């Protein structure tokens, strides 16, 4: 899989820079375009841009703005009162599900980061060796990736269900794996990890295929063992993929939603920030300002990691 | 098997010199295969279990337990299809997925073309704006979007709710807005790798920008477009959140989100739940097995997407 544009783009982007001076610079080339061409270019960018700004970025800004108000979603916008940081104070100090939700999101991250992601990487390293049947193993591992998370919630119910589930039938217990607030988060994490491992394995496998084989040869000529070659040579070379995998893991655990929502709408042991936001808007209580404060917290955390991600992929693209 | 044993002595002779590491690693290979085989079977197990459960009658499993054999039947599929009105929900998914994927690819390729074709200072901002939009948590935008959708009127022939809320149009738009970023990112990288002489030649021939996009660039992007289309179909088909919060009428739900409504009907019957799950999974599994190469390529093309 050498056709990874992430890596391919390196030289491609660099190429215009040395050639453009000889052609008289950007300004002149633009002026060479006809009026129709300029209209076409503007439309080609403007239409998609309006859609993304209008349906993603403006709502994101509006969420931040609304988080400082007491709007209940009913009255006209002119009646909104500015309440400053009160919603945030309420979220942190006066909203029992908030702390468990934060803990669950962090636990989600920890489980994916400490167990599922390394397992996915490990399997990718094993599958990167030329072994017979590699395709079968790969297919089996990333099959869950094509299923929706909502569907995964259903599939695992067949294993977790108290009266009809496989787990209790085999273990002879009476645990309600999805219903018991002390165990359900763990049950859900197994299902989420099941999908995540395959996804990471795939990303990492693609990254490994892009590693220059001469590096490994050089290491083996120097007498390095396979393990030390991996940790000292291959792993550091894969820095961009490592960071992408890290960011994917963080964002995935922050955006976790579908699985808990199909089980019990994120209550009773399965609180997550995303579920709390949703409950506050489409649920019985329409607490716009309060829900927006929760949403803004989500936005703030994700933007940190999105920035890291963009910095990495754009730098890779420019080099 | 017998042929491999007869050929092995020859293979371990001088012919195998180029790969001298093979023979001494044999025991390690066996361990490796055992390990990978166990993991793979373990990984497939939940899916196989769902298929197995769906093929057995409720009465038989209720009497003998699920860890038994027998009671084979196709009735669950028939019942699930009828009671859950899967035909209708699949059609809803088609109404949303097909236009959304086509529109996403078209709009994203337009932006990607401009980003790749011209080196403006704003390109990096544009690329960042699109790519980051794809990674934002959807729930964080829910509140304003929900309000906008309940305020925007649509003529009755477009939506019987007469609003963007609870209409296919709304879901198509929101899916396009979210998925554009990923496709812009992948396609602009792909287009940047195309030789620039192509455009020089096209310019000399007097080709307009539109022709350079539609007749020069797009045909060359076919592999990337095919990979993205496969991936986007599964993603938009699997989309759960927006359909759950921006739809109200149960009849209009796409099949993935309708699952939740179905659970009430199937509550006590796991055999029906599994038949329903298998039915919902079939389109993505078919795409996956037919277009596996495209699917994998698409996922690793951008190496992003949470």
């Amino acid at each position: 899989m050498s056709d990874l544009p992430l890596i391919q783009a390196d030289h491609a982007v660099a190429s215009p820079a040395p050639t453009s001076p000889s052609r008289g610079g950007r300004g002149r080339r633009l002026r060479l375009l006809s009026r129709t061409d300029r209209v076409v270019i503007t439309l080609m960018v403007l239409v998609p841009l309006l859609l993304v700004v209008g349906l993603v970025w403006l709502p994101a800004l509006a969420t931040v703005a609304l988080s400082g108000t007491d709007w209940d979603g009913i009255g006209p916008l002119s009646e909104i009162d500015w309440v400053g940081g009160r919603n945030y104070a309420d979220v942190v100090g006066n909203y029992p599900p908030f702390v468990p939700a934060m803990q669950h999101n962090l636990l989600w991250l920890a489980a994916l980061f400490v167990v599922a992601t390394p397992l996915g990487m490990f399997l990718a390293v094993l599958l990167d060796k030329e072994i017979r049947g590699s395709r079968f193993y790969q297919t089996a591992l990333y099959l869950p990736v094509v299923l929706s998370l909502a569907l995964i919630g259903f599939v695992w119910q067949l294993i977790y269900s108290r009266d009809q589930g496989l787990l209790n039938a085999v273990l002879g217990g009476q645990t309600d794996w999805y219903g018991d607030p002390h165990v359900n988060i763990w049950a859900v994490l197994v299902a989420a990890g099941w999908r995540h491992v395959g996804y990471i394995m795939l990303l990492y496998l693609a990254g490994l295929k892009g590693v220059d084989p001469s590096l490994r040869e050089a290491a083996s000529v120097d007498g390095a063992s396979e393990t030390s070659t991996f940790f000292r040579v291959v792993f550091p070379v894969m820095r961009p993929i490592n960071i992408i995998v890290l960011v994917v893991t963080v964002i995935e655990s922050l955006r976790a939603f579908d699985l808990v929502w199909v089980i019990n709408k994120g209550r009773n042991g399965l609180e997550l920030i995303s579920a709390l936001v949703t409950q506050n808007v489409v649920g019985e209580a329409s607490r716009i300002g309060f829900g927006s404060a929760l949403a803004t917290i989500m936005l703030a955390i994700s933007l940190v990691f999105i920035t890291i991600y963009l910095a990495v992929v754009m730098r890779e693209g420019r080099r | 098997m017998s042929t491999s044993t007869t050929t092995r002595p020859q293979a371990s002779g001088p012919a195998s010199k180029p790969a001298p590491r093979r023979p001494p690693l044999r025991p390690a290979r066996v361990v490796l295969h055992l390990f990978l085989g166990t993991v793979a079977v373990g990984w497939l197990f939940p899916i196989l279990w769902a298929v197995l459960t769906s093929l057995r009658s409720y009465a038989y499993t209720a009497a003998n337990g699920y860890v038994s054999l027998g009671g084979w039947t196709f009735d669950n599929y028939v019942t699930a299809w009828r009671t859950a009105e899967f035909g209708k929900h699949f059609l809803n998914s088609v109404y949303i997925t097909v236009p959304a994927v086509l529109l996403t690819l078209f709009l994203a390729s337009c932006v990607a073309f401009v980003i790749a074709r011209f080196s403006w200072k704003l390109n990096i901002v544009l690329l960042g704006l699109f790519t980051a939009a794809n990674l934002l948590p959807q729930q964080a935008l829910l509140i304003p979007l929900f309000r906008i959708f309940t305020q925007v009127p649509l003529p009755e022939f477009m939506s019987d709710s007469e609003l963007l809320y609870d209409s296919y149009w709304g879901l198509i738009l929101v899916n396009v807005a979210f998925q554009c970023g990923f496709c812009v990112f992948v396609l602009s990288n792909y287009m940047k790798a195309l030789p620039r002489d192509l455009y020089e030649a096209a310019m000399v021939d007097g080709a307009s920008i539109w022709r350079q996009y539609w007749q020069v660039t797009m045909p060359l992007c076919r592999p990337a477009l095919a990979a993205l289309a496969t991936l986007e179909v599964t993603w938009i088909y699997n989309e759960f959140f927006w359909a759950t919060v921006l739809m109200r009428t149960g009849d209009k739900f796409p099949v993935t989100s309708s699952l939740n409504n179905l659970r009430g009907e199937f509550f006590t019957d796991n055999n029906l739940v599994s038949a329903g799950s298998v039915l919902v999974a079939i389109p993505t599994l078919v795409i996956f097995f037919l277009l596996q190469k495209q699917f994998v390529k698409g996922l690793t093309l951008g190496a992003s997407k949470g």
Side-chain angles (χ1 to χ4, degrees):
Chain A
M1 210 152 295
S2 57
D3 49 359
L4 234 173
L6 249 183
I7 292 147
Q8 229 179 35
D10 293 358
H11 38 89
V13 187
S15 62
T19 44
S20 55
S22 61
R23 250 177 258 145
R26 288 160 196 155
R28 225 170 90 196
R29 264 206 286 158
L30 248 192
R31 257 177 274 128
L32 282 175
L33 295 169
S34 73
R35 178 183 279 270
T36 340
D37 280 349
R38 268 179 283 171
V39 173
V40 168
I41 293 174
T42 314
L43 282 178
M44 283 173 95
V45 175
L46 210 59
V47 175
L49 191 64
L50 281 177
L51 197 66
V52 170
V53 168
L55 290 181
V56 180
W57 290 108
L58 285 182
L61 290 177
T63 296
V64 178
L66 284 172
S67 73
T69 71
D70 68 348
W71 198 34
D72 57 4
I74 298 163
L77 288 164
S78 56
E79 279 173 25
I80 293 181
D81 283 325
W82 188 257
V83 294
R86 202 183 72 199
N87 286 324
Y88 291 93
D90 281 350
V91 164
V92 177
N94 199 8
Y95 187 51
F98 178 69
V99 173
M102 278 302 248
Q103 286 170 342
H104 291 153
N105 271 101
L106 281 173
L107 187 65
W108 204 289
L109 174 63
L112 292 191
F113 187 68
V114 177
V115 183
T117 302
L119 184 59
M121 287 180 169
F122 178 62
L123 289 165
V125 171
L126 293 185
L127 288 169
D128 188 43
K129 299 173 183 173
E130 295 293 314
I131 51 170
R132 217 172 293 155
S134 171
R135 241 186 93 119
F136 165 73
Y137 298 136
Q138 284 181 38
T139 307
L141 284 169
Y142 62 70
L143 201 55
V145 181
V146 298
L147 305 180
S148 73
L149 275 164
L151 193 61
I152 285 172
F154 278 80
V155 169
W156 281 81
Q157 192 189 0
L158 307 173
I159 292 170
Y160 288 141
S161 152
R162 193 188 62 190
D163 302 320
Q164 303 175 49
L166 177 68
L167 210 52
N168 283 347
V170 172
L171 298 176
Q174 272 295 302
T175 314
D176 186 358
W177 296 95
Y178 270 173
D180 185 337
H182 299 292
V183 297
N184 54 9
I185 189 73
W186 301 102
V188 169
L189 281 173
V190 169
W194 179 58
R195 187 174 190 263
H196 191 73
V197 166
Y199 186 27
I200 296 299
M201 188 271 300
L202 205 58
L203 290 183
Y204 216 68
L205 203 53
L208 281 170
K209 295 244 162 78
V211 172
D212 187 353
S214 64
L215 280 175
R216 286 173 212 248
E217 275 163 37
S220 79
V221 167
D222 289 348
S225 73
E226 238 178 291
T227 321
S228 69
T229 306
F230 178 76
F231 283 108
R232 302 238 178 113
V233 180
V234 177
F235 193 79
V237 171
M238 292 186 50
R239 207 185 81 101
I241 268 282
N242 289 333
I243 293 176
I244 287 166
V245 164
L246 170 75
V247 174
V248 164
T249 305
V250 172
I251 290 190
E252 193 119 304
S253 43
L254 191 69
R255 298 213 291 200
F257 175 83
D258 305 17
L259 208 45
V260 303
W261 196 260
V262 294
I263 294 168
N264 66 4
K265 309 214 167 182
R267 295 186 165 88
N268 196 31
L270 293 183
E271 291 82 1
L272 290 174
I273 306 285
S274 55
L276 298 187
V277 176
T278 313
Q279 285 166 16
N280 274 287
V281 187
V282 290
E284 56 277 17
S286 181
R287 302 165 73 189
I288 302 290
F290 183 78
S292 300
L294 278 166
T296 306
I297 295 172
M298 268 188 106
L299 263 181
I301 301 171
S302 61
L303 274 176
V304 172
F305 290 93
I306 291 172
T307 314
I308 297 173
Y309 174 83
L310 287 182
V312 173
V313 295
M314 302 257 179
R315 195 185 315 138
E316 287 310 304
R318 222 178 303 152
R319 218 191 289 151
Chain B
M1 264 302 138
S2 58
T3 50
S4 71
T5 42
T6 52
T7 50
R8 191 173 298 139
Q10 294 171 330
S12 58
S16 73
K17 272 272 161 67
R21 271 155 81 238
R22 275 267 161 104
L25 271 174
R26 281 254 144 227
R29 286 271 144 156
V30 172
V31 174
L32 184 65
H33 275 286
L34 272 179
F35 175 73
L36 285 173
T38 316
V39 172
V41 170
W43 237 251
L44 284 177
F45 182 77
I47 299 174
L48 296 176
W49 184 250
V51 175
L52 200 69
T53 309
S54 71
L55 291 170
R56 308 177 63 194
S57 82
Y58 181 68
Y60 187 90
T61 48
N64 299 287
Y66 280 86
V67 191
S68 61
L69 280 178
W72 306 109
T73 174
F74 269 109
D75 289 352
N76 294 314
Y77 286 94
V78 179
T79 318
W81 184 274
R82 276 212 204 109
T83 52
E85 299 181 281
F86 270 116
K88 190 160 67 189
H89 291 293
F90 275 125
L91 218 53
N92 291 340
S93 286
V94 172
Y95 294 151
I96 295 161
T97 309
V98 172
V101 170
L102 292 177
L103 210 54
T104 303
L105 290 179
F106 173 64
L107 293 177
S109 62
C110 284
V111 179
F113 170 76
V114 177
I115 289 178
R117 171 77 176 76
F118 302 98
S119 31
W120 287 329
K121 288 236 169 72
L122 274 176
N123 274 354
I124 202 114
V125 179
L126 213 54
L127 192 56
L129 217 56
F130 275 96
T131 314
N134 174 249
L135 295 170
L136 288 181
Q138 283 103 322
Q139 291 83 11
L141 318 170
L142 167 63
I143 292 158
L145 266 184
F146 187 77
R147 298 299 302 176
I148 293 171
F149 274 44
T150 50
Q151 300 300 315
V152 175
L154 282 183
E156 207 189 333
F157 72 88
M158 286 172 77
S159 151
D160 48 25
S161 64
E162 296 185 44
L163 288 172
L164 206 49
Y165 175 73
D166 201 26
S167 77
Y168 298 130
W169 302 86
L171 278 188
I172 293 169
L173 280 182
V174 85
N175 274 313
V176 171
F178 265 90
Q179 296 301 339
C180 250
F182 179 74
C183 296
V184 167
F185 176 72
V186 170
L187 286 172
S188 67
N189 275 343
Y190 198 89
M191 289 178 187
K192 278 173 193 165
L194 299 176
R196 296 190 74 82
D197 308 352
L198 274 176
Y199 299 121
E200 309 275 308
M203 292 281 270
V204 171
D205 290 347
S208 67
I209 289 294
W210 182 256
R211 280 189 68 150
Q212 289 175 34
Y213 158 75
W214 190 248
Q215 291 185 335
V216 178
T217 311
M218 289 300 266
L220 291 170
C221 288
R222 233 175 256 156
L225 288 168
L228 282 177
T230 312
L231 202 58
E232 290 295 339
V233 166
T234 41
W235 276 341
I236 296 177
Y237 174 85
N238 281 340
E239 202 284 318
F240 173 77
F241 175 68
W242 290 120
T244 306
V245 294
L246 297 178
M247 279 285 194
R248 187 184 43 207
T249 314
D251 277 359
K252 287 196 271 187
F253 273 111
V255 73
T256 305
S257 314
S258 70
L259 264 175
N260 218 19
N261 291 6
L262 309 181
R263 191 165 60 158
E265 297 166 38
F266 292 172
F267 203 37
T268 51
D269 191 338
N270 255 5
N271 304 61
L272 270 187
V273 170
S274 45
S277 304
V278 172
L279 283 173
V280 174
I282 282 174
T284 50
L285 292 179
V286 167
I287 288 180
F288 177 69
F289 282 114
L290 287 182
L291 303 166
Q292 195 172 6
K293 235 176 108 186
Q294 310 288 351
F295 179 84
V296 173
K297 232 188 223 163
L299 258 184
T300 50
L301 266 173
S304 80
K305 179 67 198 181

